[in-house]
Amino acid sequence: MRVRPILILGIDVISENPKKFAVVSWFNGRLERKGEFTLYRLIRFIQSKRPEMVAVDSVTELGEDLRKFLRALPSGTKLVQVTGRPGEQRSLQSLAKEHGIRAGDRFDPYEEARLSALLASRGVGYEVLAFEDEVIIKVTRGRSHGKGGWSQDRYRKRVHNLVRDKVREIEDRLRRADIPFDLETEERDYGLARGEFRVYAAREELAGLIRPARGGDVEVKIQPVERAELGFAPLKGEEAIRERRSIIVGIDPGITVGIAAIDLNGRIVALHSQRNMPIGEVFRFISEVGHPVIVATDVSPAPGFVEKIARSFKANLFVPRESLRVQDKNELLRDLGITVEDDHQRDALAAAYKAYLRLKPKLEHVDARLREAGLTKKSDEVKALVIQGYNLGEAMQKVALRERPRAEEKPEEVMRQGPDVEQYLRRIRELERRIEFLERENQELKGIIREQRKTIGRLERKLVDYDEEIRRKILRERELEAKVKRIEMLERELREAKSVIERLSRDLVQVKRMNVVEIRGSAVPLKVMEVLSWRELERIERDIGIRRGDILFVVNPAGAGKAIAEELVEKGILALITEKPVPEPVAEVLREAHVPFFTSEELDVKRVDEFAVVERETLERAIDGLLEKWRLEDEEREVERMLRLVEEYRLERKKELKRKAEEEGHRKV
């Protein structure tokens, strides 16, 4: 019984600019209109609810945002095009009618979203596939080593050792989970500068097994491999499986992938090589050629890429006892009398043909038996079954049973011919020979197993000795590393302590000088503010208070405005001293209120931490001078204003007299 998904979202476009979607949810058979969503809000909603499916009548409605939308879908959520794959799409209304669903207004986006959700809940539609069943895992250092001497070299070596340990950890986890992969590493400082895994599994298979990591000494990035073109897979496996010929496939993995296919008679049927070919494209290419019964490689042990393909096709994996040499590959190609375009095609073809040569005696024996039994037309099917592990008699019987319905179409003819005893006798003799052959093969294999067990025991003893040596080496390295870290920490603490001592010594000298000046009564203490802001003003009022006649010292007045300047004037401060020039609005308010303001350079302010003083004589002289300057400027402005008023009065009087003279002249006329 098919388990219905818990939550399905049906969506349809309401408007294009800005793009908005109508959203309807299907939850355990209950429909609910969720409302109108922008693309950003829709993605956030999907990520929070994590539905089983997001159903749409056509993915083209997402336009240029389709790839972005697919990348944002949470793990386990499918995007479904309910109207079918491209080129074979049907209307929502016809599909609804076929499945007994009442359809409403076809121009209503919410109605279209409702139909999409209902059809998806019944398993109608095609899942949109954006990613290959392939993941890239990159392990690198997390932060720059920087420049430096011996300490930086030790740190760099430590990070490279951590990268190596993380690569080994991921490798061990993948092997324990029986997930095929290929690994490329870059060695550095007896460790690894980087490691890159090409894992032949979907991202979901790695959930809880490998986790990304950022911010530390080692970073782990997990990147699914996107398909060059979107794929479409039916929600129900309703597509009929076509009968395809059986083939032997050789694969040379790498940056450029080489593929070679030969049939079970040793004839070449396909040769191909392509740079950066994802595993999904390899599957599709092989499937178009035929059905592989053997997937072969030219190296030992087999790469994870080749293991993944063999497992996916449920084919036998052929691995040579030792990696094929270039000389052996060239000799195989000379025997075939064929030239190839590159080394990748050569390696793939050599692997496939080597596998064929290993099976050739068995396949020729099968051909001979089939000629005797009159089943030569079904040679490929019988050979494929034999390769899969069936004995010849069982394979012939399976093929004969497949043909039985055709024989049953003519029962009268069969009855007239009578039973074919000779066929059964041949079968018995064949089975007896097969039993003898298997018994001999069994004895040989037992001998091989005994030898292999001896070899394994010897290698295990060597491995134990090697592990013990490595363990001692690691313990020495860790002990040395701990001592180096301790030394680095103590050196850092010593540098910091020296810096603090130097700063405190300077401050102490300055404080002594300030105390002497203050005792003599020739210094004025200042109230220090780091910035000229409301929060800082509240702090200093809370801690020490601000009284009329105080002098404030502000380290950084940038960003202050008229309001806070007016507040200072209201509080009645005597003067304002800053390290940097005050902003123009503050200067205008202080100038208008005749509150002097200076920079620390003008008054030679002495400051230590939260304390600052200025010489009384210097301060009073500066204040008197500035106030006198402002008084003169105010008098000048007042004189200018009076002169301007007199001039304006004179001009107005002149205009008035002229107007009266004109009126007098008009009366005389």
Side-chain angles (χ1 to χ4, degrees):
M1 179 178 179
R2 191 175 76 88
V3 178
R4 289 187 177 275
I6 297 173
L7 176 63
I8 297 174
L9 297 182
I11 66 173
D12 193 64
V13 170
I14 296 176
S15 63
E16 285 293 337
N17 192 15
K19 183 162 281 189
K20 293 185 178 180
F21 296 86
V23 179
V24 174
S25 70
W26 182 97
F27 181 71
N28 288 346
R30 184 167 62 87
L31 290 168
E32 180 182 351
R33 180 183 289 200
K34 289 296 181 182
E36 188 175 299
F37 287 74
T38 62
L39 178 65
Y40 174 76
R41 283 190 60 232
L42 177 60
I43 291 174
R44 293 291 300 273
F45 182 71
I46 292 170
Q47 289 174 342
S48 65
K49 297 299 183 182
R50 304 181 71 87
E52 179 78 10
M53 286 183 272
V54 177
V56 63
D57 62 340
S58 175
V59 294
T60 57
E61 293 186 352
L62 291 163
E64 296 178 354
D65 298 313
L66 176 57
R67 289 279 184 178
K68 173 184 175 183
F69 185 82
L70 286 166
R71 293 189 197 104
L73 288 180
S75 176
T77 297
K78 301 175 183 177
L79 176 62
V80 177
Q81 181 169 280
V82 295
T83 53
R85 72 173 74 203
E88 302 175 2
Q89 291 176 256
R90 297 170 57 189
S91 69
L92 279 174
Q93 283 68 28
S94 65
L95 286 169
K97 183 178 180 181
E98 179 181 322
H99 290 84
I101 300 173
R102 181 181 58 81
D105 183 5
R106 61 189 298 265
F107 297 105
D108 181 4
Y110 287 98
E111 176 64 18
E112 298 282 286
R114 182 184 73 88
L115 292 179
S116 297
L118 282 172
L119 288 168
S121 71
R122 301 189 181 190
V124 178
Y126 282 72
E127 179 187 357
V128 183
L129 305 175
F131 301 99
E132 304 284 0
D133 287 341
E134 188 173 342
V135 176
I136 303 295
I137 302 176
K138 294 182 179 179
V139 184
T140 57
R141 59 182 173 85
R143 53 173 68 98
S144 174
H145 299 147
K147 297 180 180 180
W150 184 80
S151 296
Q152 290 295 339
D153 289 341
R154 296 300 307 172
Y155 174 70
R156 185 182 65 249
K157 291 177 181 178
R158 172 180 172 276
V159 171
H160 289 159
N161 286 335
L162 291 174
V163 172
R164 178 198 61 199
D165 294 343
K166 177 58 71 172
V167 168
R168 287 179 177 175
E169 177 189 338
I170 294 174
E171 183 178 10
D172 182 63
R173 290 189 176 188
L174 292 173
R175 292 193 188 280
R176 289 178 182 275
D178 197 22
I179 297 176
F181 65 90
D182 287 326
L183 172 62
E184 291 184 3
T185 58
E186 180 183 337
E187 295 185 2
R188 190 78 56 81
D189 297 326
Y190 303 101
L192 295 178
R194 56 178 290 275
E196 183 173 320
F197 293 84
R198 184 171 287 268
V199 183
Y200 306 108
R203 178 68 180 90
E204 290 77 11
E205 294 183 50
L206 301 181
L209 186 66
I210 310 296
R211 291 185 175 86
R214 286 186 180 180
D217 291 327
V218 180
E219 280 194 354
V220 179
K221 297 180 181 178
I222 302 177
Q223 302 171 344
V225 177
E226 288 194 14
R227 290 172 175 248
E229 296 181 0
L230 295 178
F232 292 83
L235 293 182
K236 294 180 179 178
E238 295 174 346
E239 289 187 324
I241 299 174
R242 296 175 299 173
E243 290 188 2
R244 295 171 294 169
R245 59 180 167 184
S246 299
I247 55 175
I248 298 173
V249 175
I251 297 177
D252 177 47
I255 296 175
T256 300
V257 178
I259 306 173
I262 61 178
D263 63 17
L264 300 186
N265 293 313
R267 293 187 294 267
I268 299 171
V269 295
L271 270 177
H272 180 70
S273 59
Q274 182 177 327
R275 187 176 177 85
N276 296 325
M277 190 177 188
I279 195 167
E281 291 294 330
V282 176
F283 287 148
R284 286 187 282 278
F285 179 86
I286 295 173
S287 297
E288 290 175 0
V289 176
H291 178 73
V293 291
I294 291 179
V295 174
T297 177
D298 64 330
V299 297
S300 179
F305 187 94
V306 180
E307 289 184 10
K308 171 68 175 178
I309 292 173
R311 186 182 303 174
S312 299
F313 283 111
K314 295 182 175 59
N316 292 339
L317 178 64
F318 171 79
V319 183
R321 292 186 179 90
E322 57 183 19
S323 300
L324 299 181
R325 298 175 299 174
V326 175
Q327 180 181 354
D328 297 333
K329 298 173 189 176
N330 292 333
E331 186 176 345
L332 286 172
L333 263 62
R334 281 196 297 272
D335 293 342
L336 286 170
I338 187 172
T339 56
V340 292
E341 296 179 3
D342 52 45
D343 294 344
H344 307 287
Q345 292 186 8
R346 177 201 66 192
D347 294 349
L349 183 56
Y353 197 64
K354 186 71 174 179
Y356 169 74
L357 292 178
R358 179 76 62 83
L359 292 169
K360 187 176 180 182
K362 181 183 290 188
L363 297 178
E364 289 177 345
H365 174 71
V366 171
D367 278 332
R369 294 303 180 189
L370 291 176
R371 282 194 296 271
E372 293 178 5
L375 292 174
T376 54
K377 292 183 178 179
K378 296 296 177 180
S379 173
D380 274 5
E381 292 185 41
V382 176
K383 288 178 180 177
L385 291 172
V386 170
I387 292 172
Q388 290 174 358
Y390 292 91
N391 60 49
L392 181 56
E394 291 171 339
M396 292 172 65
Q397 185 178 9
K398 274 185 169 292
V399 174
L401 287 174
R402 291 175 188 170
E403 297 296 312
R404 180 174 295 176
R406 299 180 184 177
E408 290 175 353
E409 293 175 2
K410 300 178 181 180
E412 295 180 2
E413 183 179 349
V414 173
M415 291 297 292
R416 285 196 300 269
Q417 289 177 354
D420 186 2
V421 178
E422 184 61 29
Q423 177 182 351
Y424 294 106
L425 293 174
R426 284 199 303 270
R427 174 73 187 283
I428 291 170
R429 287 194 294 270
E430 179 188 339
L431 291 175
E432 288 175 347
R433 286 193 297 271
R434 180 65 176 171
I435 290 170
E436 292 176 1
F437 171 76
L438 291 175
E439 287 178 348
R440 289 195 302 271
E441 189 175 26
N442 189 29
Q443 293 300 322
E444 292 175 0
L445 291 174
K446 285 181 179 179
I448 293 172
I449 290 171
R450 285 193 295 271
E451 292 297 325
Q452 292 293 337
R453 284 176 177 169
K454 292 179 182 178
T455 302
I456 290 170
R458 186 171 63 255
L459 293 175
E460 284 178 344
R461 289 191 296 272
K462 287 184 178 180
L463 185 59
V464 169
D465 296 339
Y466 179 74
D467 285 346
E468 182 62 25
E469 180 182 350
I470 293 297
R471 190 183 67 82
R472 287 195 298 268
K473 182 179 178 181
I474 290 173
L475 288 175
R476 287 196 301 272
E477 289 180 354
R478 288 180 178 174
E479 184 178 355
L480 178 59
E481 184 178 339
K483 291 180 179 178
V484 169
K485 288 173 65 177
R486 177 65 177 168
I487 291 170
E488 291 175 353
M489 183 184 69
L490 293 174
E491 287 178 344
R492 184 169 61 253
E493 290 178 354
L494 180 60
R495 287 194 299 271
E496 293 173 355
K498 286 181 177 179
S499 175
V500 171
I501 291 170
E502 291 176 0
R503 180 175 60 81
L504 293 176
S505 298
R506 290 193 301 270
D507 292 349
L508 182 59
V509 172
Q510 190 70 7
V511 167
K512 287 180 178 179
R513 291 175 181 172
M514 291 167 60
N515 286 338
V516 171
V517 172
E518 192 169 359
I519 291 170
R520 290 175 181 173
S522 60
V524 177
L526 309 178
K527 295 185 177 180
V528 180
M529 297 173 63
E530 290 297 325
V531 293
L532 189 54
S533 67
W534 292 103
R535 181 178 295 178
E536 186 70 3
L537 189 60
E538 290 175 0
R539 182 193 66 78
I540 197 168
E541 281 187 323
R542 184 177 62 251
D543 293 348
I544 58 177
I546 297 179
R547 292 182 295 275
R548 184 170 295 275
D550 282 346
I551 301 173
L552 298 184
F553 177 78
V554 179
V555 178
N556 183 10
K562 293 179 65 176
I564 197 168
E566 291 170 351
E567 179 68 17
L568 295 178
V569 172
E570 183 69 21
K571 290 183 180 296
I573 66 170
L574 179 62
L576 177 68
I577 304 174
T578 60
E579 281 196 358
K580 299 178 181 178
V582 297
E584 190 63 28
V586 177
E588 290 177 0
V589 172
L590 297 178
R591 171 66 177 85
E592 185 68 24
H594 291 80
V595 176
F597 55 92
F598 310 94
T599 62
S600 57
E601 292 180 357
E602 294 175 300
L603 301 180
D604 190 22
V605 174
K606 304 291 191 299
R607 180 180 178 231
V608 176
D609 293 335
E610 297 181 358
F611 304 97
V613 296
V614 64
E615 290 186 2
R616 185 180 299 278
E617 183 180 349
T618 303
L619 176 63
E620 290 175 351
R621 187 169 56 251
I623 291 176
D624 293 342
L626 185 59
L627 290 176
E628 179 64 21
K629 176 184 175 184
W630 285 352
R631 187 184 65 78
L632 294 175
E633 289 176 354
D634 291 344
E635 289 178 355
E636 289 178 2
R637 282 201 298 271
E638 184 64 23
V639 170
E640 290 176 358
R641 188 178 69 82
M642 293 299 296
L643 291 174
R644 191 165 53 252
L645 289 174
V646 169
E647 181 65 21
E648 290 175 357
Y649 176 76
R650 188 181 65 79
L651 292 174
E652 287 294 328
R653 184 62 180 163
K654 186 177 180 180
K655 290 179 182 178
E656 182 67 22
L657 293 174
K658 185 178 180 181
R659 183 176 58 78
K660 286 182 178 181
E662 289 176 353
E663 290 177 354
E664 186 68 26
H666 285 303
R667 281 198 299 270
K668 289 178 180 182
V669 174

